[in-house]
Amino acid sequence: MRPNSPSKAPAPRTEQIILFRVSGQLFAVSSASVQEVRGVDSLSGAAKEISQPGLRKVKHLVRRGEYLVYVVNAAMHFGLPPAPPALVFVLRRTRTALLVDGIEKMTSMTRLQALPQAFCHEERAWYRGLTALDQTVVPVVKPDGFLTPEELFALDASLSQDADAEARRHEEDSAQSGQDTSSTQ
Amino acid sequence: MTLIAETELQSFVLLRLGDRRFAVTANQIAELVAPSRVFRFPHRTPEVEGVILRRGRIVPVCDVAEKLIGNGLKSRRFYLITQRCYGAQTEWVALPVTGDCELINAEMTLPSDTDAPHVSGWLSHGGDVIEVLNLAALTPGPGEIVPSTAPLQPQEARS
């Protein structure tokens, strides 16, 4: 007679995360949210500079397929001391790429605790929640929390103004060169 | 009817911040614990200094001394873990305190219109007049909470 096998408790669901550092501070992001990890050097050729007063955390944009992706400096976003970023995370289903210092490790979390309600300002948009890993508490970032819809609108508007100004300059240059050509004939 | 029967005695926990004592109703207290590591991460709520890990829960630490005695605590002896209501939800909030806490039974006098919002009443105990704290006014939280119809449960989400 075979003894009854003990019923197994269901394994806790886990989520793969990337632990990364920004100015010495540890954060986590779901691996599924990161489309691409690149060195900042590889961006230098592809990135275009952008200047939006009041939004100093965004200084570059890159084209990813048909979309323009804004590159956010994570240290400036979180109000941390500046540190030279080494990596950029292109975040899936957002128009954000994130400059970070480096990856600590890849691991998994089994439990995400909602951000306590005592945190009642901008951080509610920054974090999905908190997780405890190896007796440390790590905030888990929201991929779409780095740029608000208003900030994206302002960046897009600034880009379209730049494009209009560029088009006007181009028209003026063309008109000027047309005049020069006719005056020399 | 005796005088005792006419008065409504309630249980309070007295906490110490520097030279002063304050009270919190005992049913709002979860436990008193020794100081442990405070984990800090970027945020924009100045009243919260970080979080501690307690019984598997992540508990925010709010130093209320600045509001109550005019300066923050340089040293702390315990964390008084309180149960703060946010609408229908209750969450733990740790208050650093500088001395032993005491459980007493006393009658509370209701606050007057001129009292600060963090005062939910007054106690007379051991020759002192002690403020009973209104945690909702003292500790940060969203301005308006829409009452939820969901049953009371800890704020947790499983991945």
Side-chain angles (χ1 to χ4, degrees), chain A residues 43-116:
Chain A
L43 268 189
S44 54
K48 183 185 167 202
E49 274 196 39
I50 182 172
S51 171
Q52 171 66 21
L55 205 55
R56 290 172 50 236
K57 65 184 177 183
V58 180
K59 289 204 168 74
H60 295 92
L61 65 91
V62 286
R63 184 168 283 284
R64 279 274 160 288
E66 57 188 290
Y67 297 106
L68 290 173
V69 172
Y70 296 107
V71 182
V72 176
N73 183 309
M76 292 182 87
H77 171 77
F78 289 119
L80 292 168
L87 296 177
V88 61
F89 292 170
V90 180
L91 300 176
R92 205 183 293 278
R93 289 186 290 277
T94 70
R95 294 177 59 203
T96 306
L98 194 63
L99 289 171
V100 304
D101 299 2
I103 291 177
E104 185 81 3
K105 66 174 175 179
M106 294 186 72
T107 184
S108 60
M109 64 175 177
T110 54
R111 190 175 171 204
L112 178 68
Q113 180 175 318
L115 194 66

Side-chain angles (χ1 to χ4, degrees), chain B residues 116-127:
Chain B
H118 71 260
V119 178
S120 68
W122 296 90
L123 302 180
S124 178
H125 178 75

Side-chain angles (χ1 to χ4, degrees), chain A residues 13 15 25 27 77-78 80 109-114 116-123 126-127 130 132 135-137 139, chain B residues 37 39-46 48 50-51 53 56-58 60 86 89 91 140-142 145 155-159:
Chain A
R13 285 175 58 195
E15 182 174 339
Q25 173 73 48
F27 298 89
H77 171 77
F78 289 119
L80 292 168
M109 64 175 177
T110 54
R111 190 175 171 204
L112 178 68
Q113 180 175 318
Q117 300 259 17
F119 293 96
C120 54
H121 293 291
E122 286 165 73
E123 61 271 14
W126 296 351
Y127 303 128
L130 305 172
Q135 293 301 303
T136 295
V137 176
Chain B
R37 182 179 167 190
F39 298 96
R40 293 179 170 85
F41 53 85
H43 63 82
R44 294 270 190 271
T45 307
V48 181
V51 295
L53 264 175
R57 291 198 200 188
I58 296 169
Y86 295 95
Q89 290 178 337
E91 290 187 11
I145 298 284
Q155 264 280 292
E156 279 173 12
R158 283 187 181 271
S159 57

